[in-house]
PDB file of all heavy atoms in Angstrom:
ATOM      1  N   GLY X   1     -27.144  48.234  11.912  1.00  0.00           N
ATOM      2  CA  GLY X   1     -28.371  49.002  11.781  1.00  0.00           C
ATOM      3  C   GLY X   1     -29.160  49.175  13.065  1.00  0.00           C
ATOM      4  O   GLY X   1     -30.366  49.437  13.022  1.00  0.00           O
ATOM      5  N   GLN X   2     -28.494  49.087  14.198  1.00  0.00           N
ATOM      6  CA  GLN X   2     -29.220  49.187  15.464  1.00  0.00           C
ATOM      7  C   GLN X   2     -29.854  50.563  15.666  1.00  0.00           C
ATOM      8  O   GLN X   2     -30.903  50.686  16.303  1.00  0.00           O
ATOM      9  CB  GLN X   2     -28.281  48.866  16.631  1.00  0.00           C
ATOM     10  CG  GLN X   2     -27.841  47.418  16.714  1.00  0.00           C
ATOM     11  CD  GLN X   2     -26.670  47.094  15.793  1.00  0.00           C
ATOM     12  OE1 GLN X   2     -26.068  47.988  15.183  1.00  0.00           O
ATOM     13  NE2 GLN X   2     -26.333  45.815  15.690  1.00  0.00           N
ATOM     14  N   GLY X   3     -29.224  51.620  15.124  1.00  0.00           N
ATOM     15  CA  GLY X   3     -29.791  52.951  15.253  1.00  0.00           C
ATOM     16  C   GLY X   3     -31.144  53.064  14.585  1.00  0.00           C
ATOM     17  O   GLY X   3     -32.091  53.627  15.154  1.00  0.00           O
ATOM     18  N   GLY X   4     -31.261  52.517  13.376  1.00  0.00           N
ATOM     19  CA  GLY X   4     -32.533  52.545  12.668  1.00  0.00           C
ATOM     20  C   GLY X   4     -33.583  51.684  13.338  1.00  0.00           C
ATOM     21  O   GLY X   4     -34.767  52.054  13.407  1.00  0.00           O
ATOM     22  N   GLU X   5     -33.165  50.522  13.838  1.00  0.00           N
ATOM     23  CA  GLU X   5     -34.110  49.625  14.510  1.00  0.00           C
ATOM     24  C   GLU X   5     -34.688  50.274  15.767  1.00  0.00           C
ATOM     25  O   GLU X   5     -35.895  50.206  16.020  1.00  0.00           O
ATOM     26  CB  GLU X   5     -33.408  48.314  14.868  1.00  0.00           C
ATOM     27  CG  GLU X   5     -33.034  47.461  13.663  1.00  0.00           C
ATOM     28  CD  GLU X   5     -32.160  46.285  14.036  1.00  0.00           C
ATOM     29  OE1 GLU X   5     -31.765  46.186  15.228  1.00  0.00           O
ATOM     30  OE2 GLU X   5     -31.843  45.479  13.145  1.00  0.00           O
ATOM     31  N   GLN X   6     -33.811  50.923  16.541  1.00  0.00           N
ATOM     32  CA  GLN X   6     -34.280  51.506  17.795  1.00  0.00           C
ATOM     33  C   GLN X   6     -35.032  52.815  17.564  1.00  0.00           C
ATOM     34  O   GLN X   6     -35.914  53.177  18.352  1.00  0.00           O
ATOM     35  CB  GLN X   6     -33.100  51.665  18.756  1.00  0.00           C
ATOM     36  CG  GLN X   6     -32.566  50.304  19.206  1.00  0.00           C
ATOM     37  CD  GLN X   6     -31.293  50.371  20.027  1.00  0.00           C
ATOM     38  OE1 GLN X   6     -31.260  50.994  21.082  1.00  0.00           O
ATOM     39  NE2 GLN X   6     -30.231  49.733  19.545  1.00  0.00           N
ATOM     40  N   TYR X   7     -34.722  53.525  16.471  1.00  0.00           N
ATOM     41  CA  TYR X   7     -35.537  54.685  16.095  1.00  0.00           C
ATOM     42  C   TYR X   7     -36.961  54.227  15.799  1.00  0.00           C
ATOM     43  O   TYR X   7     -37.938  54.858  16.247  1.00  0.00           O
ATOM     44  CB  TYR X   7     -34.951  55.379  14.864  1.00  0.00           C
ATOM     45  CG  TYR X   7     -35.796  56.535  14.363  1.00  0.00           C
ATOM     46  CD1 TYR X   7     -35.558  57.832  14.793  1.00  0.00           C
ATOM     47  CD2 TYR X   7     -36.843  56.321  13.464  1.00  0.00           C
ATOM     48  CE1 TYR X   7     -36.337  58.894  14.344  1.00  0.00           C
ATOM     49  CE2 TYR X   7     -37.636  57.373  13.015  1.00  0.00           C
ATOM     50  CZ  TYR X   7     -37.373  58.658  13.463  1.00  0.00           C
ATOM     51  OH  TYR X   7     -38.165  59.699  13.031  1.00  0.00           O
ATOM     52  N   ALA X   8     -37.100  53.150  15.048  1.00  0.00           N
ATOM     53  CA  ALA X   8     -38.435  52.650  14.705  1.00  0.00           C
ATOM     54  C   ALA X   8     -39.208  52.237  15.941  1.00  0.00           C
ATOM     55  O   ALA X   8     -40.408  52.520  16.065  1.00  0.00           O
ATOM     56  CB  ALA X   8     -38.314  51.474  13.726  1.00  0.00           C
ATOM     57  N   GLU X   9     -38.546  51.573  16.862  1.00  0.00           N
ATOM     58  CA  GLU X   9     -39.215  51.156  18.088  1.00  0.00           C
ATOM     59  C   GLU X   9     -39.688  52.366  18.889  1.00  0.00           C
ATOM     60  O   GLU X   9     -40.788  52.365  19.466  1.00  0.00           O
ATOM     61  CB  GLU X   9     -38.274  50.295  18.926  1.00  0.00           C
ATOM     62  CG  GLU X   9     -38.900  49.710  20.173  1.00  0.00           C
ATOM     63  CD  GLU X   9     -40.082  48.797  19.889  1.00  0.00           C
ATOM     64  OE1 GLU X   9     -40.100  48.144  18.817  1.00  0.00           O
ATOM     65  OE2 GLU X   9     -41.003  48.746  20.743  1.00  0.00           O
ATOM     66  N   MET X  10     -38.897  53.417  18.892  1.00  0.00           N
ATOM     67  CA  MET X  10     -39.221  54.611  19.668  1.00  0.00           C
ATOM     68  C   MET X  10     -40.302  55.469  19.004  1.00  0.00           C
ATOM     69  O   MET X  10     -41.111  56.102  19.674  1.00  0.00           O
ATOM     70  CB  MET X  10     -37.941  55.437  19.862  1.00  0.00           C
ATOM     71  CG  MET X  10     -38.093  56.631  20.791  1.00  0.00           C
ATOM     72  SD  MET X  10     -36.503  57.477  21.044  1.00  0.00           S
ATOM     73  CE  MET X  10     -35.520  56.167  21.768  1.00  0.00           C
ATOM     74  N   HIS X  11     -40.333  55.466  17.655  1.00  0.00           N
ATOM     75  CA  HIS X  11     -41.189  56.428  16.937  1.00  0.00           C
ATOM     76  C   HIS X  11     -42.261  55.777  16.071  1.00  0.00           C
ATOM     77  O   HIS X  11     -42.919  56.468  15.288  1.00  0.00           O
ATOM     78  CB  HIS X  11     -40.310  57.323  16.054  1.00  0.00           C
ATOM     79  CG  HIS X  11     -39.345  58.175  16.814  1.00  0.00           C
ATOM     80  ND1 HIS X  11     -39.721  59.299  17.515  1.00  0.00           N
ATOM     81  CD2 HIS X  11     -37.995  58.049  16.999  1.00  0.00           C
ATOM     82  CE1 HIS X  11     -38.664  59.851  18.081  1.00  0.00           C
ATOM     83  NE2 HIS X  11     -37.602  59.108  17.793  1.00  0.00           N
ATOM     84  N   LYS X  12     -42.456  54.484  16.191  1.00  0.00           N
ATOM     85  CA  LYS X  12     -43.373  53.784  15.295  1.00  0.00           C
ATOM     86  C   LYS X  12     -44.808  54.274  15.390  1.00  0.00           C
ATOM     87  O   LYS X  12     -45.590  54.101  14.440  1.00  0.00           O
ATOM     88  CB  LYS X  12     -43.311  52.275  15.538  1.00  0.00           C
ATOM     89  CG  LYS X  12     -43.741  51.861  16.944  1.00  0.00           C
ATOM     90  CD  LYS X  12     -43.531  50.371  17.147  1.00  0.00           C
ATOM     91  CE  LYS X  12     -43.897  49.940  18.573  1.00  0.00           C
ATOM     92  NZ  LYS X  12     -43.627  48.507  18.785  1.00  0.00           N
ATOM     93  N   ASN X  13     -45.196  54.875  16.500  1.00  0.00           N
ATOM     94  CA  ASN X  13     -46.572  55.340  16.654  1.00  0.00           C
ATOM     95  C   ASN X  13     -46.760  56.800  16.239  1.00  0.00           C
ATOM     96  O   ASN X  13     -47.871  57.323  16.314  1.00  0.00           O
ATOM     97  CB  ASN X  13     -47.030  55.151  18.109  1.00  0.00           C
ATOM     98  CG  ASN X  13     -47.117  53.680  18.483  1.00  0.00           C
ATOM     99  OD1 ASN X  13     -47.535  52.848  17.685  1.00  0.00           O
ATOM    100  ND2 ASN X  13     -46.703  53.356  19.700  1.00  0.00           N
ATOM    101  N   GLU X  14     -45.688  57.446  15.801  1.00  0.00           N
ATOM    102  CA  GLU X  14     -45.803  58.808  15.287  1.00  0.00           C
ATOM    103  C   GLU X  14     -46.180  58.770  13.811  1.00  0.00           C
ATOM    104  O   GLU X  14     -45.738  57.880  13.073  1.00  0.00           O
ATOM    105  CB  GLU X  14     -44.487  59.572  15.459  1.00  0.00           C
ATOM    106  CG  GLU X  14     -44.091  59.809  16.898  1.00  0.00           C
ATOM    107  CD  GLU X  14     -42.758  60.505  17.026  1.00  0.00           C
ATOM    108  OE1 GLU X  14     -41.995  60.528  16.038  1.00  0.00           O
ATOM    109  OE2 GLU X  14     -42.467  61.015  18.113  1.00  0.00           O
ATOM    110  N   PRO X  15     -46.964  59.740  13.328  1.00  0.00           N
ATOM    111  CA  PRO X  15     -47.420  59.729  11.928  1.00  0.00           C
ATOM    112  C   PRO X  15     -46.327  60.189  10.964  1.00  0.00           C
ATOM    113  O   PRO X  15     -46.181  61.386  10.698  1.00  0.00           O
ATOM    114  CB  PRO X  15     -48.603  60.700  11.940  1.00  0.00           C
ATOM    115  CG  PRO X  15     -48.314  61.629  13.068  1.00  0.00           C
ATOM    116  CD  PRO X  15     -47.591  60.823  14.109  1.00  0.00           C
ATOM    117  N   HIS X  16     -45.527  59.263  10.479  1.00  0.00           N
ATOM    118  CA  HIS X  16     -44.530  59.560   9.451  1.00  0.00           C
ATOM    119  C   HIS X  16     -45.160  59.404   8.058  1.00  0.00           C
ATOM    120  O   HIS X  16     -45.944  58.483   7.829  1.00  0.00           O
ATOM    121  CB  HIS X  16     -43.353  58.601   9.558  1.00  0.00           C
ATOM    122  CG  HIS X  16     -42.442  58.860  10.719  1.00  0.00           C
ATOM    123  ND1 HIS X  16     -42.849  58.710  12.032  1.00  0.00           N
ATOM    124  CD2 HIS X  16     -41.135  59.258  10.770  1.00  0.00           C
ATOM    125  CE1 HIS X  16     -41.829  58.988  12.845  1.00  0.00           C
ATOM    126  NE2 HIS X  16     -40.777  59.328  12.098  1.00  0.00           N
ATOM    127  N   VAL X  17     -44.783  60.289   7.136  1.00  0.00           N
ATOM    128  CA  VAL X  17     -45.264  60.186   5.754  1.00  0.00           C
ATOM    129  C   VAL X  17     -44.131  59.896   4.777  1.00  0.00           C
ATOM    130  O   VAL X  17     -44.376  59.647   3.593  1.00  0.00           O
ATOM    131  CB  VAL X  17     -46.022  61.454   5.321  1.00  0.00           C
ATOM    132  CG1 VAL X  17     -47.278  61.629   6.167  1.00  0.00           C
ATOM    133  CG2 VAL X  17     -45.139  62.697   5.404  1.00  0.00           C
ATOM    134  N   LEU X  18     -42.874  59.925   5.259  1.00  0.00           N
ATOM    135  CA  LEU X  18     -41.741  59.572   4.407  1.00  0.00           C
ATOM    136  C   LEU X  18     -40.509  59.354   5.272  1.00  0.00           C
ATOM    137  O   LEU X  18     -40.275  60.072   6.241  1.00  0.00           O
ATOM    138  CB  LEU X  18     -41.444  60.679   3.388  1.00  0.00           C
ATOM    139  CG  LEU X  18     -40.252  60.400   2.447  1.00  0.00           C
ATOM    140  CD1 LEU X  18     -40.605  59.272   1.468  1.00  0.00           C
ATOM    141  CD2 LEU X  18     -39.829  61.648   1.679  1.00  0.00           C
ATOM    142  N   MET X  19     -39.715  58.344   4.866  1.00  0.00           N
ATOM    143  CA  MET X  19     -38.376  58.142   5.407  1.00  0.00           C
ATOM    144  C   MET X  19     -37.409  58.243   4.229  1.00  0.00           C
ATOM    145  O   MET X  19     -37.583  57.559   3.222  1.00  0.00           O
ATOM    146  CB  MET X  19     -38.247  56.759   6.050  1.00  0.00           C
ATOM    147  CG  MET X  19     -39.238  56.458   7.158  1.00  0.00           C
ATOM    148  SD  MET X  19     -39.014  57.462   8.629  1.00  0.00           S
ATOM    149  CE  MET X  19     -37.345  56.975   9.140  1.00  0.00           C
ATOM    150  N   LEU X  20     -36.402  59.119   4.329  1.00  0.00           N
ATOM    151  CA  LEU X  20     -35.393  59.246   3.268  1.00  0.00           C
ATOM    152  C   LEU X  20     -34.020  58.986   3.859  1.00  0.00           C
ATOM    153  O   LEU X  20     -33.668  59.556   4.896  1.00  0.00           O
ATOM    154  CB  LEU X  20     -35.437  60.631   2.625  1.00  0.00           C
ATOM    155  CG  LEU X  20     -34.453  60.862   1.464  1.00  0.00           C
ATOM    156  CD1 LEU X  20     -35.031  61.855   0.455  1.00  0.00           C
ATOM    157  CD2 LEU X  20     -33.071  61.366   1.920  1.00  0.00           C
ATOM    158  N   GLU X  21     -33.243  58.148   3.178  1.00  0.00           N
ATOM    159  CA  GLU X  21     -31.880  57.851   3.617  1.00  0.00           C
ATOM    160  C   GLU X  21     -30.896  58.170   2.509  1.00  0.00           C
ATOM    161  O   GLU X  21     -31.106  57.822   1.342  1.00  0.00           O
ATOM    162  CB  GLU X  21     -31.753  56.375   4.006  1.00  0.00           C
ATOM    163  CG  GLU X  21     -30.374  56.008   4.519  1.00  0.00           C
ATOM    164  CD  GLU X  21     -30.317  54.619   5.131  1.00  0.00           C
ATOM    165  OE1 GLU X  21     -31.379  53.990   5.302  1.00  0.00           O
ATOM    166  OE2 GLU X  21     -29.209  54.165   5.454  1.00  0.00           O
ATOM    167  N   ALA X  22     -29.806  58.839   2.873  1.00  0.00           N
ATOM    168  CA  ALA X  22     -28.698  59.101   1.951  1.00  0.00           C
ATOM    169  C   ALA X  22     -27.487  58.338   2.472  1.00  0.00           C
ATOM    170  O   ALA X  22     -26.918  58.710   3.490  1.00  0.00           O
ATOM    171  CB  ALA X  22     -28.411  60.598   1.859  1.00  0.00           C
ATOM    172  N   ASP X  23     -27.105  57.287   1.774  1.00  0.00           N
ATOM    173  CA  ASP X  23     -25.985  56.450   2.218  1.00  0.00           C
ATOM    174  C   ASP X  23     -25.313  55.811   1.014  1.00  0.00           C
ATOM    175  O   ASP X  23     -25.074  54.608   0.976  1.00  0.00           O
ATOM    176  CB  ASP X  23     -26.480  55.378   3.198  1.00  0.00           C
ATOM    177  CG  ASP X  23     -25.333  54.583   3.825  1.00  0.00           C
ATOM    178  OD1 ASP X  23     -24.174  55.021   3.707  1.00  0.00           O
ATOM    179  OD2 ASP X  23     -25.602  53.531   4.422  1.00  0.00           O
ATOM    180  N   ALA X  24     -25.012  56.643   0.007  1.00  0.00           N
ATOM    181  CA  ALA X  24     -24.334  56.131  -1.183  1.00  0.00           C
ATOM    182  C   ALA X  24     -23.282  57.116  -1.674  1.00  0.00           C
ATOM    183  O   ALA X  24     -22.983  57.181  -2.866  1.00  0.00           O
ATOM    184  CB  ALA X  24     -25.352  55.839  -2.295  1.00  0.00           C
ATOM    185  N   GLY X  25     -22.736  57.893  -0.764  1.00  0.00           N
ATOM    186  CA  GLY X  25     -21.686  58.828  -1.121  1.00  0.00           C
ATOM    187  C   GLY X  25     -22.213  60.147  -1.651  1.00  0.00           C
ATOM    188  O   GLY X  25     -23.409  60.351  -1.833  1.00  0.00           O
ATOM    189  N   VAL X  26     -21.257  61.069  -1.875  1.00  0.00           N
ATOM    190  CA  VAL X  26     -21.571  62.395  -2.411  1.00  0.00           C
ATOM    191  C   VAL X  26     -21.025  62.472  -3.823  1.00  0.00           C
ATOM    192  O   VAL X  26     -19.834  62.717  -4.042  1.00  0.00           O
ATOM    193  CB  VAL X  26     -20.953  63.504  -1.534  1.00  0.00           C
ATOM    194  CG1 VAL X  26     -21.278  64.881  -2.105  1.00  0.00           C
ATOM    195  CG2 VAL X  26     -21.458  63.394  -0.104  1.00  0.00           C
ATOM    196  N   TYR X  27     -21.921  62.234  -4.779  1.00  0.00           N
ATOM    197  CA  TYR X  27     -21.589  62.283  -6.197  1.00  0.00           C
ATOM    198  C   TYR X  27     -22.723  62.991  -6.926  1.00  0.00           C
ATOM    199  O   TYR X  27     -23.689  63.438  -6.306  1.00  0.00           O
ATOM    200  CB  TYR X  27     -21.368  60.866  -6.745  1.00  0.00           C
ATOM    201  CG  TYR X  27     -20.276  60.114  -6.028  1.00  0.00           C
ATOM    202  CD1 TYR X  27     -20.580  59.272  -4.959  1.00  0.00           C
ATOM    203  CD2 TYR X  27     -18.942  60.273  -6.388  1.00  0.00           C
ATOM    204  CE1 TYR X  27     -19.571  58.603  -4.274  1.00  0.00           C
ATOM    205  CE2 TYR X  27     -17.931  59.597  -5.703  1.00  0.00           C
ATOM    206  CZ  TYR X  27     -18.255  58.761  -4.652  1.00  0.00           C
ATOM    207  OH  TYR X  27     -17.263  58.109  -3.977  1.00  0.00           O
ATOM    208  N   LYS X  28     -22.624  63.091  -8.224  1.00  0.00           N
ATOM    209  CA  LYS X  28     -23.611  63.838  -9.005  1.00  0.00           C
ATOM    210  C   LYS X  28     -25.018  63.295  -8.770  1.00  0.00           C
ATOM    211  O   LYS X  28     -25.263  62.094  -8.916  1.00  0.00           O
ATOM    212  CB  LYS X  28     -23.267  63.732 -10.486  1.00  0.00           C
ATOM    213  CG  LYS X  28     -24.209  64.502 -11.397  1.00  0.00           C
ATOM    214  CD  LYS X  28     -23.813  64.340 -12.844  1.00  0.00           C
ATOM    215  CE  LYS X  28     -24.809  65.051 -13.761  1.00  0.00           C
ATOM    216  NZ  LYS X  28     -24.451  64.871 -15.193  1.00  0.00           N
ATOM    217  N   PRO X  29     -25.969  64.168  -8.397  1.00  0.00           N
ATOM    218  CA  PRO X  29     -27.349  63.693  -8.220  1.00  0.00           C
ATOM    219  C   PRO X  29     -27.869  63.054  -9.494  1.00  0.00           C
ATOM    220  O   PRO X  29     -27.713  63.602 -10.584  1.00  0.00           O
ATOM    221  CB  PRO X  29     -28.121  64.977  -7.900  1.00  0.00           C
ATOM    222  CG  PRO X  29     -27.090  65.911  -7.357  1.00  0.00           C
ATOM    223  CD  PRO X  29     -25.822  65.598  -8.102  1.00  0.00           C
ATOM    224  N   ALA X  30     -28.467  61.876  -9.348  1.00  0.00           N
ATOM    225  CA  ALA X  30     -28.895  61.152 -10.549  1.00  0.00           C
ATOM    226  C   ALA X  30     -30.220  60.432 -10.380  1.00  0.00           C
ATOM    227  O   ALA X  30     -30.974  60.307 -11.342  1.00  0.00           O
ATOM    228  CB  ALA X  30     -27.821  60.137 -10.965  1.00  0.00           C
ATOM    229  N   ARG X  31     -30.530  59.939  -9.178  1.00  0.00           N
ATOM    230  CA  ARG X  31     -31.733  59.119  -9.039  1.00  0.00           C
ATOM    231  C   ARG X  31     -32.201  59.059  -7.590  1.00  0.00           C
ATOM    232  O   ARG X  31     -31.413  59.227  -6.657  1.00  0.00           O
ATOM    233  CB  ARG X  31     -31.477  57.705  -9.545  1.00  0.00           C
ATOM    234  CG  ARG X  31     -30.368  56.971  -8.842  1.00  0.00           C
ATOM    235  CD  ARG X  31     -30.056  55.638  -9.531  1.00  0.00           C
ATOM    236  NE  ARG X  31     -29.408  55.861 -10.799  1.00  0.00           N
ATOM    237  CZ  ARG X  31     -28.082  55.994 -10.941  1.00  0.00           C
ATOM    238  NH1 ARG X  31     -27.288  55.953  -9.884  1.00  0.00           N
ATOM    239  NH2 ARG X  31     -27.558  56.171 -12.126  1.00  0.00           N
TER     240      ARG X  31
END
């Protein structure tokens, strides 16, 4: 997870209102 850690360090002072991650495959949308 170094990419996510270093993204946070670089962008932590920017005003984010949502982080969305898709990392569970491509299957029928459900939840």
Side-chain angles (χ1 to χ4, degrees):
Q2 291 82 8
E5 292 171 355
Q6 292 173 59
Y7 176 93
E9 185 61 31
M10 187 176 300
H11 297 285
K12 62 185 178 183
N13 294 321
E14 295 177 343
H16 286 66
V17 296
L18 180 70
M19 303 293 298
L20 182 149
E21 182 170 352
D23 187 14
V26 180
Y27 302 94
K28 181 181 177 181
R31 59 188 71 88

